[in-house]
Every structure is written in structure tokens, then in C-alpha cells.
Amino acid sequence: MIRLKSLSEIATMREAGRVVARTLAAVAEAARAGVSLSELDELAAGLISAAGANPSFLGYRPTWASTRYPGVLCLSVNDAIVHGIPNGRVLRDGDLLSIDCGAYVEGFHADAAITVGVGDLDDRARHLSETTRLALEEGIAVVAVGGRLSDISHAVETVARGAGYGVPPNMGGHGIGTKMHEDPHLANTGRPGRGVRLREGMVLAIEPMLIESGRDRARTARDGWTVLTGDGSRAAHWEHSVAVTGDGPVILTLP
């Protein structure tokens, strides 16, 4: 069931979105060679708490998970696509790091992700990240009242396939509100003009994930959470929470 949000609820989600955006920026700045993933997670926990918000991910357990998520952030390095658990792993020069953050204020969530390079990033990794960000931008650009959900999917896939990148199967964005994951599921592939019509008050987390090798293969690591590329190639992940309004898309997860 898709739950439409009122203007006041969207305003609350915008507050949560600002917390997410500022946390992402601070963690990206701190992501240097020699810093551990757990240190970045501790930084995010402090920033979210200081802002009067709460982390969305910590303790989260969707129906498919066997355990509750143990971190504040999802930190996915190189061949990790999403849901990488913050641990003692130390970042190295040249790593490609996807940072996913969620926070809620007064019961309403916001969710966003960015991909950054650690130190000197090679051109292929930089292009992968920039193309994923462009896929996000193109997906947001087609959000319009009366449009179809798959219009977003098609826009994302067009950018991905045009650059020769793979898209992990059965993964994508989602509705967001009083729950971090709400209906509808938003695929990152698909033909346009299909799925539910976009209505004013819908809020969607749009999140392209692209695979460097061009293969649509992924697997789950032994920790039960981290999703890895099937062939060990690198991945990138960008995301914004976006409200559907009569004036066009409104990105809620900007500073």
C-alpha cells in the first residue's frame, strides 16, 4: 500500500534529509587512507545524535535478514554494492567507497547515498561513480505527477546500459516515510509507461547501483548483509529521497 504524505510530513522528512546530507558530507571528508569503517560509523552516529535525529539503519531487520543490522551507516568498498557492514577494515588509497545513510525525525525517515574515492582514484572508478550519479539525476528528472513508476526505472537503465555497466538484479529504490522501506519497489531497469502512476505526496528513494564489468550478477556475503558483485568488479551507489509534487520533484536529502 502506497501512503501519500502531507506537506507537513514532507517538511519533517526534509529535516531528516538535511541530517542525512550533512552526515554524508562529513563522512566523505573523513574517508581517508588509514581510517577504519568503524571509525566512520562512530562519526556518523555522533553527528546524527547531535542533530536530534535517530539512525534508520541501526537495529533494522527486514523480512529477508537473519539478523538486525549492526551499524549506523552502510559502507560498501570496491566490489561491495550495498549493505556493507562497518567494521575494522581500514581504507586504502584508491578504494571506491559507497556511503549509505538513513535518519529519522519525529518518526519520518530520509535515506541517501554517495560514492567517493579514497585518495587517488583511477579513471575507470571515477567514471563508474559519475555515471551512477548521472543515472540518479536522470531518474529524478522524469519524476512528474501523472507519470509512471517505470519511467524512472527506464531513465536509470538507459544511462547504465549506455555506459556499458551492469545493474544488480532485483535491487532498486523504494517508497519511504514512517518506515524506511515502503511500497512501491522501484526497479532500476524497465520499459517506460508501466507501473503505478506517480501522485502528489508520494516519496521515493531513487537509488541506482551500477556494476563496472557490465554483468548483472550479485551475491550476498557470509555476513548475511553485504551484497557483492558476482565477478569481483567494482560497484557504485547513489541515492536521494525525492518527493513527488505538482511543481516537480523535490529532493529531500540535500544539505
Side-chain angles (χ1 to χ4, degrees):
M1 178 178 176
I2 298 173
R3 183 179 181 277
L4 303 181
K5 280 73 179 179
S6 67
L7 290 176
S8 63
E9 290 171 337
I10 290 173
T12 301
M13 295 181 73
R14 179 72 180 102
E15 292 181 32
R18 288 191 181 96
V19 174
V20 168
R22 292 167 184 165
T23 301
L24 286 172
V27 172
E29 178 67 25
R32 301 186 181 94
V35 175
S36 71
L37 300 184
S38 58
E39 288 176 305
L40 296 179
D41 199 57
E42 291 169 8
L43 171 62
L47 292 169
I48 292 171
S49 177
N54 295 283
S56 299
F57 299 170
L58 185 63
Y60 184 58
R61 186 180 178 184
T63 55
W64 52 264
S66 60
T67 60
R68 294 187 181 276
Y69 189 73
V72 169
L73 299 173
C74 292
L75 296 172
S76 304
V77 184
N78 296 332
D79 64 334
I81 305 170
V82 287
H83 305 159
I85 294 175
N87 53 28
R89 178 173 181 168
V90 173
L91 292 171
R92 301 172 63 181
D93 188 68
D95 279 343
L96 190 64
L97 173 67
S98 293
I99 309 166
D100 193 354
C101 179
Y104 64 93
V105 172
E106 297 178 11
F108 284 89
H109 296 261
D111 185 10
I114 60 175
T115 296
V116 299
V118 177
D120 293 325
L121 197 63
D122 65 86
D123 289 342
R124 290 183 61 189
R126 189 177 297 108
H127 186 262
L128 173 64
S129 179
E130 285 301 306
T131 303
T132 310
R133 183 183 60 80
L134 177 61
L136 172 60
E137 292 179 354
E138 292 298 308
I140 293 171
V142 301
V143 171
V145 172
R148 295 282 191 175
L149 190 67
S150 71
D151 296 343
I152 305 170
S153 308
H154 181 69
V156 169
E157 183 177 19
T158 298
V159 174
R161 302 305 190 195
Y165 292 131
V167 180
N170 304 316
M171 300 183 68
H174 50 90
I176 187 169
T178 54
K179 296 180 181 179
M180 188 168 60
H181 290 94
E182 297 184 348
D183 290 333
H185 172 71
L186 174 55
N188 281 327
T189 61
R191 296 172 60 184
R194 301 188 174 201
V196 300
R197 288 201 178 275
L198 302 181
R199 298 171 60 190
E200 189 161 8
M202 290 177 67
V203 181
L204 302 169
I206 303 173
E207 52 178 320
M209 294 160 265
L210 305 188
I211 299 173
E212 184 178 26
S213 67
R215 298 182 179 91
D216 297 357
R217 296 178 182 175
R219 63 183 180 87
T220 302
R222 292 181 180 178
D223 61 24
W225 279 98
T226 307
V227 180
L228 302 165
T229 61
D231 55 13
S233 64
R234 294 173 295 189
H237 176 206
W238 283 80
E239 176 184 17
H240 272 307
S241 295
V242 180
V244 181
T245 80
D247 295 322
V250 174
I251 301 174
L252 304 180
T253 43
L254 291 174

